[in-house]
Amino acid sequence: MKIFRKDRIQFLKNNRLSKYLLYATGEILLIVIGILIALALNNWNQKRMIKEKEHFYLQGLNEEFLRSKLKLQNLMKVNKLNYENSRKLAAKIKTASGKTDEEQLSALLYNSFSFEIAYNPNNSLLNELINSGGLEDISNPELRRYLTNWESMIQSIHRQENSLRLQRENIVALFRSNSGSIKTIFDHTGISSEMGIAEDQIHSSNMNILRSREFENNLLIFVLTGIVTENAHYNPLMQEIDVILDLINNELEMHAGSSSLSFARPR
């Protein structure tokens, strides 16, 4: 720049205006080019930082949804165990003439109503992204849409689970009255010993519960609600998780490909 400045001064002294304007224009062009290069480098750096942040988010979301999928798979097994044992109970109602073994009945009752259903997915990172506006850093609009709709699906799942919980509590309430004996169930299934409670020598029978119309009605509604929970809620949620994981993995593969191209050396 000092060279251009000296030349401009010399041209002005020699009344060579055209040369002065040419050098002045060249100097301005160099300044503009320098600014454009700086802006381009800054823009490239900003995009790189956004990509790195997105990659970090994608990896975290992938881990979260994998854990959420595993939780859902285990929960679906428990739900299926509940309603399948309940269906066996429903079949026993028609043959409640003493042919059913008391211990077998206790096992069916325990396996049907002891395990509460509640899906709690791993959503800490997703919630943070939504609350902080970080979801905008996810470049794939389809993935962003699925992540945005995730919470509404979970709320729908929880409403269904509350309905299932209510049906379960209606049945358990029958055993809190004189209609049934929880102690007999605990003794036959080993729960009493786990609790450090002595088993009874003579057990109160729960066979009469199989003759209760109220028990049968509640039992059938519980079975139906369990099946609906699986087919209309858990299965679609599992499909949703699989779609989200596929989208995340596709984005991670694209990131890996772009990174390898960025750092590839020309041959």
Side-chain angles (χ1 to χ4, degrees):
M1 294 300 179
K2 289 182 179 180
I3 297 174
F4 284 126
R5 192 175 296 113
K6 290 179 181 179
D7 288 341
R8 289 203 314 270
I9 294 171
Q10 189 65 35
F11 289 141
L12 286 173
K13 287 180 179 179
N14 297 332
N15 292 322
R16 299 176 65 183
L17 183 60
S18 58
K19 289 288 186 179
Y20 169 80
L21 292 174
L22 181 62
Y23 270 79
T25 303
E27 186 175 351
I28 292 171
L29 285 174
L30 284 176
I31 294 172
V32 171
I33 291 171
I35 293 173
L36 291 175
I37 291 174
L39 288 173
L41 289 173
N42 182 65
N43 187 46
W44 174 84
N45 189 51
Q46 289 291 333
K47 288 183 178 180
R48 180 184 60 81
M49 292 175 63
I50 291 173
K51 279 293 182 183
E52 288 179 355
K53 187 190 296 185
E54 182 184 18
H55 187 75
F56 172 79
Y57 289 156
L58 289 170
Q59 286 182 321
L61 289 170
N62 187 60
E63 292 175 4
E64 276 196 354
F65 276 96
L66 283 173
R67 289 196 295 269
S68 295
K69 181 177 181 178
L70 181 60
K71 282 186 176 182
L72 183 58
Q73 287 173 334
N74 292 332
L75 194 65
M76 290 175 70
K77 291 178 182 178
V78 174
N79 181 58
K80 192 165 189 173
L81 178 68
N82 287 352
Y83 74 69
E84 284 187 345
N85 279 284
S86 297
R87 280 198 294 206
K88 293 177 183 178
L89 270 173
K92 295 292 183 185
I93 289 175
K94 300 304 179 184
T95 59
S97 58
K99 297 181 180 179
T100 302
D101 182 78
E102 189 76 45
E103 291 189 12
Q104 182 186 20
L105 176 61
S106 293
L108 287 173
L109 289 168
Y110 178 79
N111 290 327
S112 298
F113 311 116
S114 294
F115 306 104
E116 188 169 315
I117 301 298
Y119 183 55
N120 296 304
N122 293 75
N123 285 159
S124 55
L125 177 58
L126 177 58
N127 291 335
E128 180 184 337
L129 291 179
I130 292 174
N131 295 331
S132 65
L135 207 59
E136 295 180 0
D137 292 323
I138 304 298
S139 58
N140 188 317
E142 185 180 8
L143 175 58
R144 201 163 55 241
R145 178 174 59 82
Y146 274 99
L147 295 176
T148 302
N149 294 334
W150 173 257
E151 182 58 29
S152 63
M153 286 200 68
I154 297 303
Q155 290 176 0
S156 175
I157 291 292
H158 288 167
R159 286 193 294 270
Q160 179 65 20
E161 288 175 340
N162 286 335
S163 176
L164 184 61
R165 186 178 300 110
L166 177 62
Q167 302 307 325
R168 171 181 171 272
E169 290 175 353
N170 288 340
I171 296 176
V172 173
L174 296 176
F175 288 87
R176 293 195 179 101
S177 65
N178 291 327
S179 300
S181 172
I182 293 178
K183 185 63 166 55
T184 298
I185 298 173
F186 281 6
D187 285 355
H188 286 157
T189 55
I191 302 301
S192 294
S193 60
E194 290 181 11
M195 296 170 62
I197 300 174
E199 295 185 10
D200 294 340
Q201 295 297 319
I202 300 177
H203 294 102
S204 299
S205 176
N206 283 314
M207 296 301 298
N208 287 333
I209 201 75
L210 297 178
R211 300 180 180 90
S212 167
R213 181 58 58 85
E214 183 180 6
F215 175 75
E216 181 181 26
N217 291 341
N218 284 309
L219 180 65
L220 293 176
I221 294 174
F222 178 76
V223 172
L224 177 61
T225 307
I227 294 173
V228 170
T229 300
E230 177 182 314
N231 294 336
H233 295 271
Y234 285 161
N235 284 337
L237 183 64
M238 182 64 74
Q239 295 172 4
E240 191 90 355
I241 292 176
D242 286 336
V243 170
I244 291 174
L245 284 171
D246 285 342
L247 290 170
I248 290 174
N249 286 321
N250 288 339
E251 289 299 305
L252 286 172
E253 289 176 3
M254 290 177 61
H255 276 242
S258 62
S259 297
S260 62
L261 288 175
S262 300
F263 293 104
R265 296 181 179 179
R267 297 181 179 179

